[in-house]
Amino acid sequence: KESKWIYDELVAHISSDENIAAGSAHRGSQIFTSAQCAACHRNGDVGDSIGPDLTNLTQRFRRKEILESIIYPSHVISDQYRSKTVITDKGRQYTGIVAAGAPGEVVILQQDGKKVPLERDSIEEILPSRKSAMPEGLIDNLTLQEVTDLFTSQPPKTLTAMRQD
């Protein structure tokens, strides 16, 4: 699927400190949740921890690298978050991130955000997948201002601090 955004144009936009300064961390935190980022990722004390924790992301990666991971999620996938296809003894297939669940089960986080618990005994085979569990096109419904806000977002310290933004 091709993004509605032209990657190089977005890189230029988010690489500008002036553009980022015009963003709102408060709105960015709201977009982090509404754009479904929080369904898999943690940012501060918001979100789930099945995908990579994004709290200190900007200290480890440049904005360009972060954008590339959002627009092209399958280009570089850490082994820790590589999707797998799980085939059950009844022939059903599930693809996503495989994580430990309750004793005797695994949980598969699918691209649509659904978590499928499976008994370990019902799994016939687990195969590696080249496709990221992170769906493509997650920012296609965002405006340029919302993308800017998302790149401005920091983990909220407190609700009071968020209101002051």
Side-chain angles (χ1 to χ4, degrees), residues 93-111:
Q93 288 190 17
Y94 302 94
T95 300
I97 295 175
V98 178
E105 77 173 16
V106 297
V107 176
I108 298 128
L109 173 66
Q110 298 180 315
Q111 274 195 327

PDB file of all heavy atoms in Angstrom, residues 93-111:
ATOM      1  N   GLN A  93      -4.801 -19.907  10.887  1.00  0.00           N
ATOM      2  CA  GLN A  93      -3.548 -19.151  10.830  1.00  0.00           C
ATOM      3  C   GLN A  93      -3.752 -17.766  11.421  1.00  0.00           C
ATOM      4  O   GLN A  93      -4.746 -17.106  11.134  1.00  0.00           O
ATOM      5  CB  GLN A  93      -3.068 -18.991   9.387  1.00  0.00           C
ATOM      6  CG  GLN A  93      -2.549 -20.253   8.781  1.00  0.00           C
ATOM      7  CD  GLN A  93      -1.874 -19.994   7.449  1.00  0.00           C
ATOM      8  OE1 GLN A  93      -1.521 -18.872   7.117  1.00  0.00           O
ATOM      9  NE2 GLN A  93      -1.690 -21.052   6.674  1.00  0.00           N
ATOM     10  N   TYR A  94      -2.791 -17.343  12.223  1.00  0.00           N
ATOM     11  CA  TYR A  94      -2.786 -16.005  12.815  1.00  0.00           C
ATOM     12  C   TYR A  94      -1.392 -15.423  12.595  1.00  0.00           C
ATOM     13  O   TYR A  94      -0.397 -16.108  12.822  1.00  0.00           O
ATOM     14  CB  TYR A  94      -3.082 -16.062  14.312  1.00  0.00           C
ATOM     15  CG  TYR A  94      -4.399 -16.708  14.650  1.00  0.00           C
ATOM     16  CD1 TYR A  94      -4.479 -18.059  14.948  1.00  0.00           C
ATOM     17  CD2 TYR A  94      -5.574 -15.962  14.672  1.00  0.00           C
ATOM     18  CE1 TYR A  94      -5.686 -18.660  15.264  1.00  0.00           C
ATOM     19  CE2 TYR A  94      -6.790 -16.546  14.989  1.00  0.00           C
ATOM     20  CZ  TYR A  94      -6.837 -17.900  15.276  1.00  0.00           C
ATOM     21  OH  TYR A  94      -8.042 -18.488  15.589  1.00  0.00           O
ATOM     22  N   THR A  95      -1.327 -14.174  12.170  1.00  0.00           N
ATOM     23  CA  THR A  95      -0.036 -13.525  11.972  1.00  0.00           C
ATOM     24  C   THR A  95       0.042 -12.289  12.846  1.00  0.00           C
ATOM     25  O   THR A  95      -0.899 -11.490  12.899  1.00  0.00           O
ATOM     26  CB  THR A  95       0.174 -13.144  10.490  1.00  0.00           C
ATOM     27  OG1 THR A  95       0.130 -14.339   9.704  1.00  0.00           O
ATOM     28  CG2 THR A  95       1.518 -12.462  10.278  1.00  0.00           C
ATOM     29  N   GLY A  96       1.159 -12.148  13.548  1.00  0.00           N
ATOM     30  CA  GLY A  96       1.366 -10.986  14.402  1.00  0.00           C
ATOM     31  C   GLY A  96       2.539 -11.227  15.338  1.00  0.00           C
ATOM     32  O   GLY A  96       3.315 -12.158  15.155  1.00  0.00           O
ATOM     33  N   ILE A  97       2.653 -10.370  16.321  1.00  0.00           N
ATOM     34  CA  ILE A  97       3.701 -10.520  17.321  1.00  0.00           C
ATOM     35  C   ILE A  97       3.244 -11.572  18.322  1.00  0.00           C
ATOM     36  O   ILE A  97       2.138 -11.489  18.853  1.00  0.00           O
ATOM     37  CB  ILE A  97       3.985  -9.181  18.032  1.00  0.00           C
ATOM     38  CG1 ILE A  97       4.563  -8.173  17.041  1.00  0.00           C
ATOM     39  CG2 ILE A  97       4.934  -9.384  19.204  1.00  0.00           C
ATOM     40  CD1 ILE A  97       4.758  -6.787  17.622  1.00  0.00           C
ATOM     41  N   VAL A  98       4.097 -12.548  18.559  1.00  0.00           N
ATOM     42  CA  VAL A  98       3.771 -13.625  19.488  1.00  0.00           C
ATOM     43  C   VAL A  98       4.401 -13.284  20.836  1.00  0.00           C
ATOM     44  O   VAL A  98       5.605 -13.054  20.927  1.00  0.00           O
ATOM     45  CB  VAL A  98       4.280 -14.981  18.969  1.00  0.00           C
ATOM     46  CG1 VAL A  98       3.985 -16.089  19.970  1.00  0.00           C
ATOM     47  CG2 VAL A  98       3.655 -15.295  17.610  1.00  0.00           C
ATOM     48  N   ALA A  99       3.573 -13.211  21.849  1.00  0.00           N
ATOM     49  CA  ALA A  99       4.040 -12.883  23.198  1.00  0.00           C
ATOM     50  C   ALA A  99       3.517 -13.923  24.185  1.00  0.00           C
ATOM     51  O   ALA A  99       2.539 -14.626  23.906  1.00  0.00           O
ATOM     52  CB  ALA A  99       3.546 -11.493  23.595  1.00  0.00           C
ATOM     53  N   ALA A 100       4.175 -14.007  25.324  1.00  0.00           N
ATOM     54  CA  ALA A 100       3.721 -14.920  26.365  1.00  0.00           C
ATOM     55  C   ALA A 100       2.382 -14.435  26.908  1.00  0.00           C
ATOM     56  O   ALA A 100       2.154 -13.237  27.042  1.00  0.00           O
ATOM     57  CB  ALA A 100       4.743 -14.995  27.489  1.00  0.00           C
ATOM     58  N   GLY A 101       1.518 -15.365  27.192  1.00  0.00           N
ATOM     59  CA  GLY A 101       0.237 -15.046  27.803  1.00  0.00           C
ATOM     60  C   GLY A 101       0.175 -15.666  29.187  1.00  0.00           C
ATOM     61  O   GLY A 101       1.189 -15.780  29.874  1.00  0.00           O
ATOM     62  N   ALA A 102      -0.999 -16.092  29.568  1.00  0.00           N
ATOM     63  CA  ALA A 102      -1.162 -16.801  30.839  1.00  0.00           C
ATOM     64  C   ALA A 102      -0.376 -18.107  30.746  1.00  0.00           C
ATOM     65  O   ALA A 102       0.011 -18.515  29.652  1.00  0.00           O
ATOM     66  CB  ALA A 102      -2.652 -17.068  31.081  1.00  0.00           C
ATOM     67  N   PRO A 103      -0.156 -18.777  31.869  1.00  0.00           N
ATOM     68  CA  PRO A 103       0.575 -20.051  31.810  1.00  0.00           C
ATOM     69  C   PRO A 103      -0.059 -21.006  30.798  1.00  0.00           C
ATOM     70  O   PRO A 103      -1.273 -21.186  30.780  1.00  0.00           O
ATOM     71  CB  PRO A 103       0.456 -20.592  33.233  1.00  0.00           C
ATOM     72  CG  PRO A 103       0.277 -19.373  34.085  1.00  0.00           C
ATOM     73  CD  PRO A 103      -0.524 -18.418  33.239  1.00  0.00           C
ATOM     74  N   GLY A 104       0.785 -21.547  29.910  1.00  0.00           N
ATOM     75  CA  GLY A 104       0.298 -22.497  28.915  1.00  0.00           C
ATOM     76  C   GLY A 104      -0.302 -21.873  27.676  1.00  0.00           C
ATOM     77  O   GLY A 104      -0.871 -22.577  26.848  1.00  0.00           O
ATOM     78  N   GLU A 105      -0.189 -20.546  27.530  1.00  0.00           N
ATOM     79  CA  GLU A 105      -0.746 -19.919  26.328  1.00  0.00           C
ATOM     80  C   GLU A 105       0.192 -18.852  25.776  1.00  0.00           C
ATOM     81  O   GLU A 105       1.095 -18.386  26.455  1.00  0.00           O
ATOM     82  CB  GLU A 105      -2.142 -19.333  26.573  1.00  0.00           C
ATOM     83  CG  GLU A 105      -2.183 -18.027  27.316  1.00  0.00           C
ATOM     84  CD  GLU A 105      -3.570 -17.407  27.388  1.00  0.00           C
ATOM     85  OE1 GLU A 105      -4.574 -18.080  27.136  1.00  0.00           O
ATOM     86  OE2 GLU A 105      -3.634 -16.214  27.707  1.00  0.00           O
ATOM     87  N   VAL A 106      -0.041 -18.509  24.514  1.00  0.00           N
ATOM     88  CA  VAL A 106       0.626 -17.381  23.878  1.00  0.00           C
ATOM     89  C   VAL A 106      -0.458 -16.430  23.395  1.00  0.00           C
ATOM     90  O   VAL A 106      -1.615 -16.828  23.215  1.00  0.00           O
ATOM     91  CB  VAL A 106       1.526 -17.806  22.688  1.00  0.00           C
ATOM     92  CG1 VAL A 106       2.657 -18.696  23.148  1.00  0.00           C
ATOM     93  CG2 VAL A 106       0.731 -18.456  21.594  1.00  0.00           C
ATOM     94  N   VAL A 107      -0.070 -15.190  23.197  1.00  0.00           N
ATOM     95  CA  VAL A 107      -0.997 -14.185  22.680  1.00  0.00           C
ATOM     96  C   VAL A 107      -0.411 -13.649  21.385  1.00  0.00           C
ATOM     97  O   VAL A 107       0.787 -13.334  21.322  1.00  0.00           O
ATOM     98  CB  VAL A 107      -1.199 -13.039  23.696  1.00  0.00           C
ATOM     99  CG1 VAL A 107      -2.090 -11.955  23.121  1.00  0.00           C
ATOM    100  CG2 VAL A 107      -1.793 -13.572  24.993  1.00  0.00           C
ATOM    101  N   ILE A 108      -1.233 -13.549  20.356  1.00  0.00           N
ATOM    102  CA  ILE A 108      -0.790 -13.000  19.080  1.00  0.00           C
ATOM    103  C   ILE A 108      -1.437 -11.634  18.905  1.00  0.00           C
ATOM    104  O   ILE A 108      -2.663 -11.518  18.909  1.00  0.00           O
ATOM    105  CB  ILE A 108      -1.161 -13.921  17.906  1.00  0.00           C
ATOM    106  CG1 ILE A 108      -0.451 -15.272  18.067  1.00  0.00           C
ATOM    107  CG2 ILE A 108      -0.750 -13.308  16.583  1.00  0.00           C
ATOM    108  CD1 ILE A 108      -1.359 -16.408  17.975  1.00  0.00           C
ATOM    109  N   LEU A 109      -0.582 -10.592  18.775  1.00  0.00           N
ATOM    110  CA  LEU A 109      -1.078  -9.250  18.496  1.00  0.00           C
ATOM    111  C   LEU A 109      -1.115  -9.100  16.986  1.00  0.00           C
ATOM    112  O   LEU A 109      -0.085  -9.089  16.326  1.00  0.00           O
ATOM    113  CB  LEU A 109      -0.178  -8.180  19.105  1.00  0.00           C
ATOM    114  CG  LEU A 109      -0.553  -6.749  18.714  1.00  0.00           C
ATOM    115  CD1 LEU A 109      -1.914  -6.372  19.277  1.00  0.00           C
ATOM    116  CD2 LEU A 109       0.504  -5.783  19.158  1.00  0.00           C
ATOM    117  N   GLN A 110      -2.334  -9.004  16.444  1.00  0.00           N
ATOM    118  CA  GLN A 110      -2.508  -8.910  15.007  1.00  0.00           C
ATOM    119  C   GLN A 110      -2.438  -7.455  14.542  1.00  0.00           C
ATOM    120  O   GLN A 110      -2.514  -6.530  15.345  1.00  0.00           O
ATOM    121  CB  GLN A 110      -3.848  -9.527  14.610  1.00  0.00           C
ATOM    122  CG  GLN A 110      -3.926 -11.003  14.967  1.00  0.00           C
ATOM    123  CD  GLN A 110      -5.252 -11.617  14.587  1.00  0.00           C
ATOM    124  OE1 GLN A 110      -6.305 -11.053  14.831  1.00  0.00           O
ATOM    125  NE2 GLN A 110      -5.192 -12.782  13.972  1.00  0.00           N
ATOM    126  N   GLN A 111      -2.311  -7.249  13.218  1.00  0.00           N
ATOM    127  CA  GLN A 111      -2.200  -5.904  12.662  1.00  0.00           C
ATOM    128  C   GLN A 111      -3.393  -5.019  12.994  1.00  0.00           C
ATOM    129  O   GLN A 111      -3.250  -3.819  13.094  1.00  0.00           O
ATOM    130  CB  GLN A 111      -2.050  -5.955  11.134  1.00  0.00           C
ATOM    131  CG  GLN A 111      -0.637  -6.118  10.691  1.00  0.00           C
ATOM    132  CD  GLN A 111      -0.482  -5.788   9.220  1.00  0.00           C
ATOM    133  OE1 GLN A 111      -1.375  -6.019   8.411  1.00  0.00           O
ATOM    134  NE2 GLN A 111       0.668  -5.252   8.876  1.00  0.00           N
TER     135      GLN A 111
END
